[in-house]
Amino acid sequence: MKTFLRCVFIPAFLTVLAGCYTNPVTGRQYAVLVPQETERALGEQSFSEVKKTEKVSSNPILNARVNTVGKRIATAIGTDIPNAQWEFVVFESKELNAFALPGGKVGVYSGLLDLAESDSELAIVMGHEIGHVVARHGSKRMTEGIATAAVGLVGAEVVSDKYGADKKDLFLLAYGGVSALGYVLPHSRDDESEADQMGLYYAAKAGYDPRAAVTFWERMTAAKEGPKLPAILSTHPSDAQRIANLRATAPNFVPLYEQAAKAREAAGTP
Ligand SMILES: [Zn+2]
C-alpha cells in the first residue's frame, strides 16, 4: 500500500496539482507546477543579478535599437505574458547571446547586435527568447524535474526509507530547481522548435520579415565554425535541420508580416 501511495498516487497527484498550461501560440499543452507570480519574481531577481555582474551598455544607438525592436515585439505579445514589466537591456560583451526572463526582462549582448544585420534578424532572436518565456519552458522543464525527483524519492523510500517525499521537500526542490536549472539547462529540441515558431509569429505580427530567421541562423552557424564558440549555441542547438525547418515554415508567416507592415504604414509608423 505504501508503495502504491508513493509510486502511483503521489506522482499522479502532483500532475493534477501542476495543472495544464496551454501555449497561446502553438496550442501545445503541458504540466507547469510553478505559479506565474513566482516565475515573475524569480525572473526579476535573476535579471537584477545579471545587471550587477555584467557590464550594462550606455551606447545610445544600441539601446535605441534594442528598445525599438523590443517594444514592437512586446506589443505583439500583449497579454501572452500577463502583467509584464518590460525591460530591454544591452550588455557590453562580444558574446553572441540574448536571453529573456519571466516578467518581460530581456537582455541582448552587443556581440549579437553586430551579428544581426537587420532589425528583422534581431526581432527573430528576441521573439525566440521571449517565446520561451511565453511558453514557460523553464517552468515546464522544472516541473518535469519534479516528476523525476518524486520518482527518485519514492524509489529511495522503498529501498531504504532514507528520504521523505513530503510536499515541503518537493516544493523546496521545485524552487531550488527553477532558479538553478530552469533557465540554464539546454532546452529540449521540441521546446527549441516551438520557440522558433513563436519567434517567427511574434516577429511577423510586429511587422518584421520572418524570412530573416534563415539568414540569421545561417550567419550564426558560420560564426559557430569560427574560432570562438557563441554562448547562445551552448543552450540553443543549431544545425542544418533547424535552418531547413525555418526555411520551410517562415513563408507561412509572411502574410501576417505583410498585413502588419501595411497597418504600420497606414498608421504612419513604418
Ligand atoms: Zn531557444
Side-chain angles (χ1 to χ4, degrees):
M1 187 60 195
K2 198 175 174 188
T3 305
F4 170 80
L5 261 181
R6 295 194 179 276
C7 290
V8 180
F9 180 77
I10 291 172
F13 175 73
L14 276 172
T15 306
V16 171
L17 190 72
C20 215
Y21 180 66
T22 304
N23 185 312
V25 176
T26 64
R28 188 175 169 224
Q29 294 185 317
Y30 33 81
V32 174
L33 181 61
V34 187
Q36 270 180 316
E37 282 302 319
T38 308
E39 276 183 2
R40 189 177 11 261
L42 287 165
E44 276 169 16
Q45 190 192 330
S46 303
F47 200 61
S48 45
E49 277 163 24
V50 176
K51 283 191 289 186
K52 272 180 225 155
T53 51
E54 305 272 325
K55 191 174 182 207
V56 175
S57 169
S58 54
N59 181 316
I61 296 165
L62 299 186
N63 275 283
R65 186 183 179 202
V66 166
N67 271 277
T68 300
V69 175
K71 279 172 188 163
R72 278 171 63 172
I73 297 279
T75 303
I77 280 168
T79 54
D80 288 356
I81 297 180
N83 307 318
Q85 301 286 316
W86 292 101
E87 202 178 339
F88 306 98
V89 174
V90 179
F91 294 103
E92 249 175 57
S93 163
K94 291 212 182 302
E95 270 185 64
L96 302 176
N97 209 359
F99 65 90
L101 295 168
K105 307 298 179 191
V106 183
V108 181
Y109 289 79
S110 53
L112 186 103
L113 291 172
D114 291 337
L115 188 81
E117 285 184 355
S118 66
D119 282 357
S120 287
E121 291 192 353
L122 178 58
I124 289 293
V125 180
M126 292 176 80
H128 172 100
E129 295 301 333
I130 299 168
H132 278 305
V133 172
V134 173
R136 305 177 69 195
H137 284 156
S139 299
K140 166 180 169 280
R141 198 166 47 234
M142 197 276 304
T143 301
E144 290 159 355
I146 293 172
T148 309
V151 170
L153 285 167
V154 166
E157 175 88 19
V158 170
V159 173
S160 68
D161 211 31
K162 189 176 169 189
Y163 301 106
D166 68 4
K167 209 170 148 195
K168 190 182 160 211
D169 283 348
L170 289 169
F171 270 99
L172 284 174
L173 270 171
Y175 293 124
V178 80
S179 54
L181 298 170
Y183 306 112
V184 177
L185 284 178
H187 292 285
S188 75
R189 204 157 276 267
D190 285 349
D191 289 355
E192 277 308 311
S193 300
E194 187 169 52
D196 274 345
Q197 295 304 304
M198 295 172 78
L200 293 175
Y201 169 74
Y202 286 130
K205 198 178 169 194
Y208 293 107
D209 192 339
R211 290 165 293 199
V214 177
T215 51
F216 175 78
W217 283 107
E218 279 174 346
R219 206 167 311 117
M220 189 62 128
T221 305
K224 181 190 179 186
E225 283 156 7
K228 190 170 176 287
L229 181 71
I232 200 169
L233 292 173
S234 59
T235 50
H236 292 78
S238 172
D239 52 25
Q241 187 58 51
R242 169 184 225 164
I243 293 170
N245 286 345
L246 287 167
R247 186 176 278 118
T249 52
N252 301 337
F253 298 91
V254 169
L256 178 63
Y257 153 62
E258 287 173 345
Q259 191 189 333
K262 210 174 283 177
R264 292 186 66 81
E265 209 175 290
T269 51

